[in-house]
Amino acid sequence: MADWHAWHEDYADPDSALSHRRAAIQRCVRERLDRGPTRLLSLCAGDGTDVLGVLRPGDDVRGRLVELDPVLAGRARALAPATIEVITGDAGTTDACVGAVPADLLLLCGIFGNIADADILRTVQALPLLCAAGATVVWTRGRKHVWNDDRDITGMIRGWFADVGCAEEAWIAPDGETWSVGVHRFDGEPQPLVPGQRMFTFVR
């Protein structure tokens, strides 16, 4: 399995691809927070800086960050305001979302490059269980060199979002970079959360 502590060290370099990607995610998060009260859910949240790094005094935001690694979760917990809880646990199951949905802002960042295609589809198909009407979903996926797989499946993933009633609000895929960030608005019909369902499992 990947050494996620070492992986996060790339954030220390402001010129790294990870830092560029995080900045793009943070801009998308900030735009959603600027719209007003926000209930957020971030799965596989890492150290939480995608969200916590852009919070401002007075933001009306509450929600949950879920991260399996206890060290990364501890870093997030140390930075999080009282209105945002940090759960150390498996974000791949709907159990991790109980009490935190429906979300107005859902982050699925750093997930789709580490799970099988079938699990990406399963996670996207779970959006009605996780999202409030009009929710913003921010997600990431590398466009090549993922598990030594040069396929760019981002077009297919964007189609899956459309299939569950999402409208694409932004697609950030800079020339010269292999990362991409998608932003979708959930226009489908929210459904009650079903606990005990597995959405995804990391395979590296």
Side-chain angles (χ1 to χ4, degrees):
M1 299 296 287
D3 182 343
W4 295 111
H5 298 165
W7 186 87
H8 274 75
E9 290 175 2
D10 278 355
Y11 283 123
D13 178 2
D15 294 322
S16 70
L18 274 183
S19 290
H20 295 167
R21 190 189 74 168
R22 179 176 62 184
I25 295 168
Q26 288 178 329
R27 288 193 296 271
C28 298
V29 169
R30 187 64 249 173
E31 181 178 327
R32 179 58 185 83
L33 296 179
D34 285 341
R35 298 179 192 172
T38 302
R39 185 182 197 182
L40 74 88
L41 174 63
S42 178
L43 301 181
C44 297
D47 61 8
T49 52
D50 287 348
V51 172
L52 303 177
V54 296
L55 292 183
R56 298 172 182 165
D59 281 337
D60 188 353
V61 58
R62 58 192 174 94
R64 178 181 298 169
L65 312 181
V66 185
E67 170 55 45
L68 182 62
D69 184 274
V71 173
L72 296 175
R75 293 177 189 172
R77 195 171 289 114
L79 296 173
T83 57
I84 297 178
E85 64 175 337
V86 180
I87 299 296
T88 304
D90 183 358
T93 73
T94 55
D95 288 343
C97 307
V98 173
V101 295
D104 304 307
L105 172 60
L106 173 65
L107 272 69
L108 302 172
C109 299
I111 297 176
F112 291 170
N114 298 294
I115 64 179
D117 294 358
D119 277 5
I120 299 175
L121 174 58
R122 186 176 297 109
T123 303
V124 173
Q125 290 176 334
L127 291 184
L129 307 180
L130 308 178
C131 293
T136 298
V137 184
V138 181
W139 59 279
T140 63
R141 178 52 156 90
R143 287 173 284 153
K144 58 175 61 177
H145 306 305
V146 178
W147 311 339
N148 297 317
D149 181 353
D150 284 339
R151 296 177 307 147
D152 180 359
I153 67 166
T154 55
M156 182 168 63
I157 297 172
R158 293 160 78 184
W160 291 339
F161 273 89
D163 290 343
V164 296
C166 288
E168 188 169 274
E169 294 192 323
W171 174 244
I172 306 169
D175 292 339
E177 302 273 15
T178 60
W179 56 266
S180 59
V181 177
V183 182
H184 281 78
R185 183 183 67 249
F186 178 67
D187 290 335
E189 186 68 28
Q191 301 294 326
L193 182 69
V194 180
Q197 302 297 304
R198 175 151 295 280
M199 297 179 287
F200 59 85
T201 301
F202 270 39
V203 295
R204 78 178 185 97

